[in-house]
Amino acid sequence: MCFMTSLHSWLSPLIRGGKFNQVWSLFTCKPRGLIYLTDTRRFTIVKDPSSSTVEFNSRNKKYRSLERSFKRRLRAIYQRFSGGPDNTTIQGLNHMYFIEGDGIYRMDTRQGDPEPEKVLCLDSVGKGDWSLQRLRLSPSEHALAATVKTPHREEARCVLVKLGDREPTLDPPQPLLTIDKVFSVEWATDDILFYSSQQKLQCHHVFRLDLTATGTRSTLVYQEQQPDVFVEVSLSRDQRLVLVNCSSKRSSEVWLIDSAKPLMEPTLVQARLPELLYHVEHSHGQLYILANTGPGQEYQVLRAPLSSPSIKHWVPVCSPGHGTAVKDMEVLQDHCVLATRDPLGLLALQVVPLSQPATTSTLQLPPWACAIETKRAGLTDSGWLEFLLSSPVHPPVLYRYSPREYRLLLQDTEEHRTRQEYHTTRLEAPSQDGTMVPLTLFHRPMLEKLRGAPLLVHVYGAYGMDLNMDFSPDRRLLLEDGWALAYCHVRGGGERGLSWHRQGRMEGKPRGVEDLAACIQRLYDLGVSRPSMTALTARSAGAVLVGALCNLHPHLIRAVTLQAPFLDVLGTMQDPSLPLTLEERGEWGDPMSDPCQRDTIASYCPCHNITPQHYPSMLLTAYIEDNRVPVAGVHKYEERLQEAIHTHLNGHPVSESEPTPSVILDLQPGADHFGPGDFELSLTESARQLAFLHTELGLNQQKTKNRRK
């Protein structure tokens, strides 16, 4: 089991944003931040107090012209990077399974030149625009379970398909069974499937589905009583254990189900304790536990007998060095492999021989790599760890690593050619309290030649999650156009471990704002761009830091783009009837019962600190069916911002140094927090953002061409 994959899977429904990934492959299974938009169904609210509707429409036409141009260019760059490796293939016993746009296919690996065989057609699932989320094979490859969802619902549908030897030319089999409102699924045997059910944004129940000759039967095997705990099922890498993971913001609890005895009651590893986070793997009768029991409450690896799993039997195996953050853990037969990140953000693999943990070794990964994603093991464990490395401007590259042979194999020969086209510069910025904040900069010209370059700054800083640095063709296009791209790893995120998150949550949330300002100022001090050429972008909870920065230091940047922005923290956390309010008190605080926490939230909340002053231009994209970020809060923020800008302009004439800001609220129907999963329409969303940025920063296509030269 990839513990971070498990961790993200239970976090995603609980957080405003999750590990958002911009789609770069047509057939990815990741959450998609894509926006449905047509001229007839788009509702755009625009209030520009300094210009008439006619003048805005003229500007809107200017956006539209650039939008069409960028859409053509984006289509070309997506095509250019299509066909790369991804995580959507699964190796069965005799077949390789993969995902295409209209369903799931497989090829018989026993044949020399196999024909693809469709095993699930999305049209057979039911009416709707279905996208595939997860794919699970039963141990003997007798059956397949897939979860699918539509853009309009948070809950997924589980589809079961019976597999067998068939002619590839035959029509795909009809689903054996469908189960609604499912979040996670795992097979214990060919006839027994465990799944967690989801109601809106909560998962509290785990069921066992028995497939018998006379029919099917579902039995409740676990029920969570705490409202802020999210429950999901996963499978150990050796397939010996089905794991019931029960997690909240501040504690963990894991129950074990023996795959060989799936009718037995689950066994508790360790009852939840305040501030104890742990994740479990298994090998040869031993549990390997990644828990925050190391120095400074950081993660370390421990071991306990399967027969005596409680915390009093946990024995330390290894602890990563000071300042090293653990990002992932895999147990491959007789080795434990940790994916780690050092204080500057460089990735490495720490390899721990389970028989001799004192001989731990470290394998440094390529310095351009910013994101690592391990591939799920197939039905047979080869002993090799497969993983993808990428960066915002570098497409994924597939590697294979053998801990027994201490051998790393590169599977993609294009890696070196791509790497030499740009620079990855890792910096640190001194924050207000002296803390050094890591900062990653991507650029094509040398650092000393970036004074006139446009700069796009990225930030998130919440829930202990790293800022998303997966590959994005959109960002690659900007890089090739001469932009510099900055990624600020502020406190509240997880780039420097669990303590980095603790320093930036609840009462420490203002530190993330200070860190962001320090990163931007550090870039200016180094000669990278200038305020009139700088834009800031974020989504979901990342908007909190951006909105707070705009209130405190509006002259640091010229333009802002926000998607599904969380902007009314105080109003949301004071309304327990809203989704996630109770679950997220561990991140933001409880303003209803703690006056100090209320004062802290009120001090930085973007919506409640707007004042008449010059603000940067903003493009706010919100979604009507977003259950995580209330649209009412975005409306409130936009209205207050327009009023403050209007008041400021009444007393201050417009000048070239302070042009009239544009504030656009693009409110779109038919989409949830991540938007619909249509690839074609994602190009429109991205093209609109680029058109907005170019217009507000005073760029044009000719200047872009000159920078590319």
Side-chain angles (χ1 to χ4, degrees):
M1 178 193 69
C2 167
F3 99 86
M4 285 303 290
T5 300
S6 173
L7 180 64
H8 286 143
S9 68
W10 67 257
L11 269 176
S12 294
L14 291 176
I15 65 176
R16 295 180 168 91
K19 189 178 181 182
F20 171 72
N21 294 291
Q22 182 70 25
V23 175
W24 69 272
S25 169
L26 287 171
F27 309 127
T28 182
C29 286
K30 299 175 183 178
R32 299 178 176 185
L34 313 181
I35 314 308
Y36 182 81
L37 179 72
T38 67
D39 288 337
T40 57
R41 296 189 62 192
R42 173 171 160 269
F43 299 93
T44 304
I45 299 174
V46 181
K47 299 177 182 178
D48 188 343
S50 67
S51 62
S52 68
T53 302
V54 174
E55 290 171 331
F56 172 77
N57 286 338
S58 175
R59 177 174 292 178
N60 192 31
K61 291 178 181 178
K62 186 176 182 180
Y63 289 146
R64 289 289 188 176
S65 176
L66 278 174
E67 181 182 311
R68 288 191 295 269
S69 174
F70 276 116
K71 188 171 182 179
R72 289 192 296 270
R73 297 184 62 206
L74 283 169
R75 189 189 308 281
I77 200 167
Y78 272 68
Q79 180 63 34
R80 180 171 136 207
F81 289 108
S82 65
D86 58 33
N87 265 351
T88 63
T89 59
I90 294 181
Q91 180 63 57
L93 298 177
N94 300 313
H95 298 83
M96 175 70 75
Y97 293 78
F98 58 96
I99 296 169
E100 288 288 352
D102 61 344
I104 299 174
Y105 292 75
R106 70 176 182 178
M107 291 192 296
D108 193 332
T109 55
R110 297 166 294 185
Q111 300 178 10
D113 188 18
E115 286 286 330
E117 172 195 353
K118 182 183 283 190
V119 295
L120 176 63
C121 178
L122 287 180
D123 290 340
S124 66
V125 176
K127 293 182 178 180
D129 181 19
W130 298 99
S131 62
L132 286 153
Q133 304 295 302
R134 302 187 183 198
L135 191 160
R136 298 291 185 262
L137 295 173
S138 67
S140 300
E141 204 176 332
H142 290 169
L144 175 150
T147 56
V148 299
K149 71 179 293 293
T150 64
H152 310 289
R153 298 181 62 86
E154 292 279 354
E155 301 92 344
R157 172 177 291 180
C158 179
V159 184
L160 271 61
V161 177
K162 276 288 187 182
L163 301 173
D165 291 330
R166 304 170 59 254
E167 289 294 329
T169 57
L170 295 177
D171 291 334
Q174 289 297 308
L176 174 69
L177 179 70
T178 60
I179 311 170
D180 283 330
K181 299 182 178 179
V182 170
F183 178 74
S184 58
V185 297
E186 295 292 351
W187 293 96
T189 70
D190 287 324
D191 302 317
I192 294 180
L193 179 79
F194 288 89
Y195 66 92
S196 62
S197 63
Q198 181 175 348
Q199 296 288 335
K200 294 184 178 179
L201 298 177
Q202 296 183 326
C203 280
H204 289 160
H205 301 86
V206 173
F207 294 87
R208 183 185 69 243
L209 178 69
D210 296 88
L211 305 176
T212 67
T214 58
T216 60
R217 180 179 66 255
S218 287
T219 304
L220 179 67
V221 297
Y222 181 82
Q223 180 174 354
E224 178 57 53
Q225 302 297 327
Q226 298 297 321
D228 63 337
V229 172
F230 191 85
V231 180
E232 61 115 25
V233 295
S234 61
L235 191 67
S236 61
R237 186 181 178 93
D238 64 2
Q239 304 179 52
R240 171 70 188 277
L241 300 174
V242 175
L243 309 170
V244 179
N245 305 295
C246 313
S247 305
S248 69
K249 294 292 191 300
R250 290 190 169 186
S251 66
S252 302
E253 186 173 276
V254 179
W255 296 74
L256 309 177
I257 300 171
D258 191 335
S259 295
K261 302 175 182 177
L263 301 183
M264 300 291 290
E265 292 292 323
T267 300
L268 177 64
V269 175
Q270 169 60 46
R272 62 178 63 99
L273 297 172
E275 303 299 331
L276 174 64
L277 304 174
Y278 72 95
H279 315 272
V280 176
E281 255 295 354
H282 174 268
S283 180
H284 302 297
Q286 296 286 314
L287 295 181
Y288 291 90
I289 302 155
L290 194 72
N292 64 332
T293 53
Q297 287 186 280
E298 294 293 342
Y299 280 122
Q300 67 174 165
V301 180
L302 306 105
R303 175 166 46 200
L306 179 59
S307 57
S308 304
S310 64
I311 193 170
K312 64 181 180 181
H313 300 289
W314 294 4
V315 177
V317 174
C318 74
S319 297
H322 177 70
T324 300
V326 177
K327 300 286 97 180
D328 204 345
M329 179 182 78
E330 292 280 357
V331 176
L332 291 84
Q333 299 172 359
D334 50 3
H335 286 79
C336 175
V337 180
L338 300 176
T340 63
R341 192 185 298 276
D342 75 3
L344 280 178
L346 292 170
L347 292 169
L349 297 181
Q350 287 196 8
V351 185
V352 186
L354 298 180
S355 59
Q356 296 178 303
T359 60
T360 297
S361 58
T362 299
L363 176 67
Q364 196 67 47
L365 295 176
W368 58 261
C370 298
I372 181 170
E373 183 178 1
T374 55
K375 297 193 71 173
R376 181 181 173 89
L379 293 183
T380 57
D381 192 349
S382 64
W384 287 79
L385 176 65
E386 292 191 328
F387 57 94
L388 298 172
L389 295 180
S390 65
S391 83
V393 296
H394 197 306
V397 179
L398 178 62
Y399 285 83
R400 299 181 74 226
Y401 175 70
S402 171
R404 284 185 175 179
E405 303 175 24
Y406 199 67
R407 191 155 60 114
L408 182 67
L409 298 181
L410 172 66
Q411 300 294 102
D412 189 340
T413 58
E414 295 295 312
E415 182 262 345
H416 295 288
R417 179 185 62 80
T418 305
R419 181 182 59 186
Q420 297 171 355
E421 296 177 354
Y422 65 93
H423 303 280
T424 301
T425 302
R426 301 180 188 273
L427 305 165
E428 288 185 308
S431 193
Q432 186 171 311
D433 61 1
T435 300
M436 301 304 291
V437 182
L439 168 67
T440 307
L441 183 69
F442 302 96
H443 52 103
R444 295 190 77 180
M446 298 299 290
L447 195 65
E448 58 270 17
K449 297 181 179 180
L450 293 176
R451 173 65 70 183
L455 171 66
L456 184 60
V457 180
H458 304 71
V459 71
Y460 188 68
Y463 306 110
M465 302 187 74
D466 293 5
L467 176 60
N468 176 34
M469 298 190 75
D470 292 337
F471 178 60
S472 167
D474 310 32
R475 300 306 180 247
R476 177 70 184 217
L477 179 64
L478 291 180
L479 182 78
E480 294 180 359
D481 279 354
W483 286 64
L485 307 173
Y487 289 75
C488 305
H489 310 294
V490 303
R491 281 174 285 187
E495 286 85 349
R496 287 192 167 176
L498 298 175
S499 63
W500 199 245
H501 174 222
R502 288 192 295 268
Q503 293 177 53
R505 74 180 186 189
M506 299 180 70
E507 291 88 348
K509 190 60 68 174
R511 294 187 182 122
V513 186
E514 297 166 1
D515 293 353
L516 177 58
C519 286
I520 297 174
Q521 190 59 56
R522 173 67 171 153
L523 291 170
Y524 294 157
D525 292 344
L526 290 172
V528 178
S529 195
R530 56 185 184 272
S532 63
M533 296 285 284
T534 298
L536 185 53
T537 186
R539 83 173 326 271
S540 197
V544 173
L545 303 186
V546 174
L549 181 83
C550 290
N551 288 331
L552 293 171
H553 308 289
H555 290 88
L556 278 179
I557 50 179
R558 174 60 63 86
V560 169
T561 64
L562 299 175
Q563 292 175 279
F566 185 36
L567 294 163
D568 186 12
V569 185
L570 184 60
T572 299
M573 298 308 296
Q574 290 184 132
D575 188 350
S577 68
L578 293 174
L580 302 182
T581 294
L582 298 178
E583 291 88 342
E584 298 210 341
R585 286 174 175 171
E587 179 69 23
W588 309 101
D590 183 3
M592 298 292 289
S593 61
D594 191 323
C596 291
Q597 292 180 4
R598 187 194 186 283
D599 291 344
T600 299
I601 297 174
S603 70
Y604 68 79
C605 177
C607 195
H608 292 263
N609 288 278
I610 296 172
T611 59
Q613 59 180 333
H614 179 78
Y615 277 90
S617 294
M618 292 193 189
L619 173 59
L620 311 172
T621 304
Y623 314 119
I624 289 179
E625 297 184 34
D626 190 339
N627 292 320
R628 308 185 189 204
V629 176
V631 173
V634 185
H635 269 297
K636 184 192 297 185
Y637 176 84
E638 183 265 345
E639 290 172 354
R640 292 184 177 183
L641 185 62
Q642 295 282 17
E643 183 178 351
I645 292 174
H646 180 68
T647 301
H648 174 74
L649 290 176
N650 282 340
H652 298 78
V654 176
S655 65
E656 185 175 343
S657 61
E658 286 193 356
T660 303
S662 300
V663 178
I664 303 173
L665 173 56
D666 200 358
L667 186 61
Q668 301 186 16
D672 61 14
H673 189 67
F674 297 105
D678 184 270
F679 170 77
E680 182 66 25
L681 294 171
S682 72
L683 297 182
T684 302
E685 170 69 18
S686 298
R688 175 175 299 106
Q689 293 177 357
L690 297 183
F692 175 83
L693 292 176
H694 274 68
T695 300
E696 298 307 319
L697 267 59
L699 308 176
N700 57 47
Q701 296 287 19
Q702 185 58 48
K703 290 181 180 179
T704 296
K705 292 177 181 177
N706 291 337
R707 281 193 301 275
R708 289 205 299 272
K709 295 177 182 178

